[in-house]
Amino acid sequence: MKTAARLSTLALALSACSQGALPSLPSEQSVPTPTLLEVAELEGALSAGDWTNLSVRVLDQFDEPMAGQVVTAQVQVPEGERPGLVPGLGNTCRTGVAGERCAIALRSEGPVGRYTVALSTGALPAVERSVEVVANRARARLELGRDGAEAFFFANGQPDSLRFRDPVRLGAGGEPTELRLRLIDAFENPIEAQVTAEVAGGLGGGARRPDAGAPDASEESPGDAGDALAADAGTPDAAPESQGDGDKVLVSLGADCDEPSERRAEADTDARGRLRLCLAGGEVMGLAQVAIRVA
């Protein structure tokens, strides 16, 4: 009898416990799962030698940012080629505690071109972004050279070393002298730009070339008919001075050395950053400057 009463009490207790609803277990669809790797687009091209950041975040199936997600970047480099773009501070980053974006820093090693960066996290497919590296115009250098002479370089903020060299000697009415120009950046990437050459005025009085009996330009006597030219990197506001009795120097710019006929010429560098500056002596002997400017 007592045993039956105990069984009845136990059954009632179990029945009372089973009447309450059990909490539902979370389904797979409600657990946040990395679903999308979002990469911000870069604004414009990257200049050679500069840095940029790829900003990324990871979203779940509800389009909510996820915290603590590690993103890895890999720059694709063709076999046998030197990397032109590299992760500058490590190739991974981790999203913030509230799912904030993280950034992977990329550094240009100098070579220009278009590079592909693959970003991945977890089991998600990799996302590719293209980064274009172009010549660094802010670090442009102008190279001047001529046959049989050392080449000179000019760059913004550096002294004009050509001012302290012997001037180029031109024979009045003689054959033109050719100078080779090359516009490059600090990594020797060619820069396409417009170049202007302008006779910026005399450095002193000049005498008109006599109509007859002029000494040969090859003579070394102080009174020969050779004009002297001090090539100068110039300043943008250098204005040509009027030569009332004629021109000392005439110039031309182009792919070939055309006959110089003007005091001012302009032309664009080619795809290799090259251009030819041709100089010829005019009717007046003396010193003159040619200002070379790059737009």
Side-chain angles (χ1 to χ4, degrees):
M1 193 69 180
K2 289 182 180 180
T3 302
R6 288 177 181 173
L7 291 174
S8 176
T9 303
L10 181 60
L12 290 172
L14 291 174
S15 175
C17 290
S18 64
Q19 289 178 1
L22 295 175
S24 59
L25 295 176
S27 66
E28 293 184 0
Q29 293 182 348
S30 64
V31 177
T33 305
T35 305
L36 176 65
L37 176 58
E38 185 180 84
V39 185
E41 295 291 340
L42 294 175
E43 295 184 4
L46 176 65
S47 294
D50 287 354
W51 293 63
T52 191
N53 289 319
L54 281 178
S55 176
V56 299
R57 67 173 180 170
V58 180
L59 303 179
D60 62 17
Q61 67 270 39
F62 308 109
D63 286 338
E64 293 295 329
M66 298 188 67
Q69 302 298 304
V70 176
V71 180
T72 302
Q74 181 179 14
V75 181
Q76 299 177 1
V77 181
E79 185 177 356
E81 292 189 12
R82 182 170 67 91
L85 186 71
V86 297
L89 301 172
N91 67 334
T92 63
C93 71
R94 185 185 296 270
T95 58
V97 294
E100 297 92 347
R101 291 179 177 273
C102 66
I104 296 179
L106 300 173
R107 182 185 72 242
S108 163
E109 295 287 85
V112 299
R114 189 176 294 273
Y115 300 92
T116 300
V117 183
L119 300 114
S120 60
T121 182
L124 291 181
V127 176
E128 294 186 351
R129 282 293 180 268
S130 181
V131 180
E132 184 180 9
V133 179
V134 298
N136 195 329
R137 297 177 68 91
R139 301 172 66 178
R141 299 192 302 167
L142 181 63
E143 177 187 276
L144 274 72
R146 60 182 299 205
D147 292 338
E150 179 185 1
F152 296 93
F153 287 91
F154 299 90
N156 288 335
Q158 295 183 1
D160 180 359
S161 59
L162 198 55
R163 286 180 179 270
F164 308 103
R165 301 284 178 170
D166 292 335
V168 177
R169 299 180 67 84
L170 301 174
E175 290 296 320
T177 294
E178 177 182 326
L179 296 180
R180 296 184 302 275
L181 306 183
R182 188 166 70 118
L183 188 62
I184 56 177
D185 66 11
F187 305 95
E188 298 201 2
N189 297 311
I191 297 177
E192 295 185 56
Q194 185 182 77
V195 177
T196 301
E198 187 171 13
V199 181
L203 301 179
R208 178 180 289 273
R209 177 171 60 95
D211 293 334
D216 185 82
S218 61
E219 295 182 10
E220 296 298 329
S221 63
D224 65 10
D227 282 354
L229 173 73
D232 174 27
T235 56
D237 58 353
E241 299 175 6
S242 175
Q243 299 287 338
D245 54 350
D247 294 314
K248 293 182 179 179
V249 178
L250 299 173
V251 299
S252 69
L253 277 173
D256 299 313
C257 195
D258 298 327
E259 183 67 28
S261 59
E262 303 291 339
R263 296 186 56 192
R264 185 180 187 278
E266 60 183 36
D268 295 332
T269 58
D270 62 18
R272 297 184 298 170
R274 298 180 185 274
L275 196 60
R276 295 186 182 186
L277 169 64
C278 299
L279 310 168
E283 298 178 348
V284 178
M285 295 180 293
L287 286 171
Q289 280 186 329
V290 172
I292 302 171
R293 299 189 291 274
V294 179

